[in-house]
PDB file of all heavy atoms in Angstrom:
ATOM      1  N   VAL P  37     -55.716  83.645  56.501  1.00 95.00           N
ATOM      2  CA  VAL P  37     -55.240  84.987  56.374  1.00 95.00           C
ATOM      3  C   VAL P  37     -54.256  84.889  55.172  1.00 95.00           C
ATOM      4  O   VAL P  37     -53.390  83.972  55.020  1.00 95.00           O
ATOM      5  CB  VAL P  37     -54.414  85.506  57.558  1.00 95.00           C
ATOM      6  CG1 VAL P  37     -53.924  86.904  57.401  1.00 95.00           C
ATOM      7  CG2 VAL P  37     -55.262  85.342  58.807  1.00 95.00           C
ATOM      8  N   ILE P  39     -51.349  87.220  53.223  1.00 95.00           N
ATOM      9  CA  ILE P  39     -50.512  88.468  53.461  1.00 95.00           C
ATOM     10  C   ILE P  39     -49.528  88.508  52.325  1.00 95.00           C
ATOM     11  O   ILE P  39     -48.835  87.585  51.970  1.00 95.00           O
ATOM     12  CB  ILE P  39     -49.792  88.463  54.828  1.00 95.00           C
ATOM     13  CG1 ILE P  39     -50.818  88.585  55.932  1.00 95.00           C
ATOM     14  CG2 ILE P  39     -48.777  89.608  54.973  1.00 95.00           C
ATOM     15  CD1 ILE P  39     -50.340  88.524  57.334  1.00 95.00           C
ATOM     16  N   VAL P  89     -52.987  87.368  68.468  1.00 95.00           N
ATOM     17  CA  VAL P  89     -52.133  86.774  67.315  1.00 95.00           C
ATOM     18  C   VAL P  89     -52.647  87.269  65.952  1.00 95.00           C
ATOM     19  O   VAL P  89     -51.762  87.634  65.154  1.00 95.00           O
ATOM     20  CB  VAL P  89     -52.072  85.191  67.313  1.00 95.00           C
ATOM     21  CG1 VAL P  89     -51.495  84.646  66.023  1.00 95.00           C
ATOM     22  CG2 VAL P  89     -51.351  84.652  68.587  1.00 95.00           C
ATOM     23  N   MET P  90     -53.917  87.255  65.771  1.00 95.00           N
ATOM     24  CA  MET P  90     -54.397  87.753  64.491  1.00 95.00           C
ATOM     25  C   MET P  90     -54.040  89.209  64.201  1.00 95.00           C
ATOM     26  O   MET P  90     -53.731  89.590  63.161  1.00 95.00           O
ATOM     27  CB  MET P  90     -55.990  87.636  64.473  1.00 95.00           C
ATOM     28  CG  MET P  90     -56.352  86.138  64.423  1.00 95.00           C
ATOM     29  SD  MET P  90     -56.005  85.398  62.826  1.00 95.00           S
ATOM     30  CE  MET P  90     -57.053  86.361  61.687  1.00 95.00           C
ATOM     31  N   ALA P  91     -54.136  90.109  65.366  1.00 95.00           N
ATOM     32  CA  ALA P  91     -53.824  91.481  65.124  1.00 95.00           C
ATOM     33  C   ALA P  91     -52.305  91.629  64.821  1.00 95.00           C
ATOM     34  O   ALA P  91     -51.951  92.444  63.957  1.00 95.00           O
ATOM     35  CB  ALA P  91     -54.178  92.213  66.463  1.00 95.00           C
ATOM     36  N   GLN P  92     -51.431  90.855  65.475  1.00 95.00           N
ATOM     37  CA  GLN P  92     -50.010  90.962  65.199  1.00 95.00           C
ATOM     38  C   GLN P  92     -49.669  90.402  63.767  1.00 95.00           C
ATOM     39  O   GLN P  92     -48.793  90.974  63.122  1.00 95.00           O
ATOM     40  CB  GLN P  92     -49.246  90.195  66.267  1.00 95.00           C
ATOM     41  CG  GLN P  92     -49.357  90.874  67.703  1.00 95.00           C
ATOM     42  CD  GLN P  92     -48.542  90.024  68.694  1.00 95.00           C
ATOM     43  OE1 GLN P  92     -48.112  88.899  68.507  1.00 95.00           O
ATOM     44  NE2 GLN P  92     -48.368  90.639  69.848  1.00 95.00           N
ATOM     45  N   LEU P  93     -50.370  89.379  63.292  1.00 94.00           N
ATOM     46  CA  LEU P  93     -50.044  88.897  62.012  1.00 94.00           C
ATOM     47  C   LEU P  93     -50.428  89.951  60.922  1.00 94.00           C
ATOM     48  O   LEU P  93     -49.776  90.034  59.895  1.00 94.00           O
ATOM     49  CB  LEU P  93     -50.815  87.568  61.794  1.00 94.00           C
ATOM     50  CG  LEU P  93     -50.383  86.335  62.535  1.00 94.00           C
ATOM     51  CD1 LEU P  93     -51.302  85.081  62.165  1.00 94.00           C
ATOM     52  CD2 LEU P  93     -48.928  86.064  62.230  1.00 94.00           C
ATOM     53  N   ALA P  94     -51.513  90.754  61.211  1.00 94.00           N
ATOM     54  CA  ALA P  94     -51.893  91.725  60.238  1.00 94.00           C
ATOM     55  C   ALA P  94     -50.851  92.802  60.039  1.00 94.00           C
ATOM     56  O   ALA P  94     -50.914  93.605  59.060  1.00 94.00           O
ATOM     57  CB  ALA P  94     -53.206  92.268  60.649  1.00 94.00           C
ATOM     58  N   THR P  95     -49.898  92.877  60.979  1.00 94.00           N
ATOM     59  CA  THR P  95     -48.896  93.967  60.819  1.00 94.00           C
ATOM     60  C   THR P  95     -47.676  93.534  60.167  1.00 94.00           C
ATOM     61  O   THR P  95     -46.778  94.316  59.930  1.00 94.00           O
ATOM     62  CB  THR P  95     -48.450  94.467  62.243  1.00 94.00           C
ATOM     63  OG1 THR P  95     -47.772  93.396  62.865  1.00 94.00           O
ATOM     64  CG2 THR P  95     -49.619  94.936  63.108  1.00 94.00           C
ATOM     65  N   LEU P  96     -47.609  92.351  59.721  1.00 94.00           N
ATOM     66  CA  LEU P  96     -46.481  91.722  58.955  1.00 94.00           C
ATOM     67  C   LEU P  96     -46.312  92.119  57.501  1.00 94.00           C
ATOM     68  O   LEU P  96     -45.378  91.876  56.904  1.00 94.00           O
ATOM     69  CB  LEU P  96     -46.433  90.161  59.143  1.00 94.00           C
ATOM     70  CG  LEU P  96     -46.358  89.731  60.579  1.00 94.00           C
ATOM     71  CD1 LEU P  96     -46.310  88.190  60.636  1.00 94.00           C
ATOM     72  CD2 LEU P  96     -45.163  90.301  61.373  1.00 94.00           C
ATOM     73  N   GLY P  97     -47.331  92.582  56.979  1.00 93.00           N
ATOM     74  CA  GLY P  97     -47.382  92.881  55.573  1.00 93.00           C
ATOM     75  C   GLY P  97     -48.727  93.470  55.103  1.00 93.00           C
ATOM     76  O   GLY P  97     -49.623  93.810  55.963  1.00 93.00           O
ATOM     77  N   ARG P  98     -48.980  93.423  53.807  1.00 94.00           N
ATOM     78  CA  ARG P  98     -50.277  93.877  53.248  1.00 94.00           C
ATOM     79  C   ARG P  98     -51.306  92.710  53.330  1.00 94.00           C
ATOM     80  O   ARG P  98     -51.021  91.740  52.700  1.00 94.00           O
ATOM     81  CB  ARG P  98     -50.176  94.493  51.873  1.00 94.00           C
ATOM     82  CG  ARG P  98     -51.444  95.213  51.310  1.00 94.00           C
ATOM     83  CD  ARG P  98     -51.140  95.979  50.096  1.00 94.00           C
ATOM     84  NE  ARG P  98     -50.934  95.091  48.956  1.00 94.00           N
ATOM     85  CZ  ARG P  98     -51.832  94.759  48.066  1.00 94.00           C
ATOM     86  NH1 ARG P  98     -53.099  95.159  48.223  1.00 94.00           N
ATOM     87  NH2 ARG P  98     -51.605  93.907  47.076  1.00 94.00           N
ATOM     88  N   VAL P  99     -52.342  92.991  54.041  1.00 94.00           N
ATOM     89  CA  VAL P  99     -53.347  91.789  54.190  1.00 94.00           C
ATOM     90  C   VAL P  99     -54.232  91.828  52.896  1.00 94.00           C
ATOM     91  O   VAL P  99     -54.893  92.822  52.629  1.00 94.00           O
ATOM     92  CB  VAL P  99     -54.255  92.048  55.413  1.00 94.00           C
ATOM     93  CG1 VAL P  99     -55.277  90.973  55.518  1.00 94.00           C
ATOM     94  CG2 VAL P  99     -53.359  91.990  56.763  1.00 94.00           C
TER      95      VAL P  99
END
Side-chain angles (χ1 to χ4, degrees):
V37 186
I39 294 178
V89 168
M90 290 294 295
Q92 292 179 347
L93 291 179
T95 65
L96 300 181
R98 188 167 73 94
V99 178

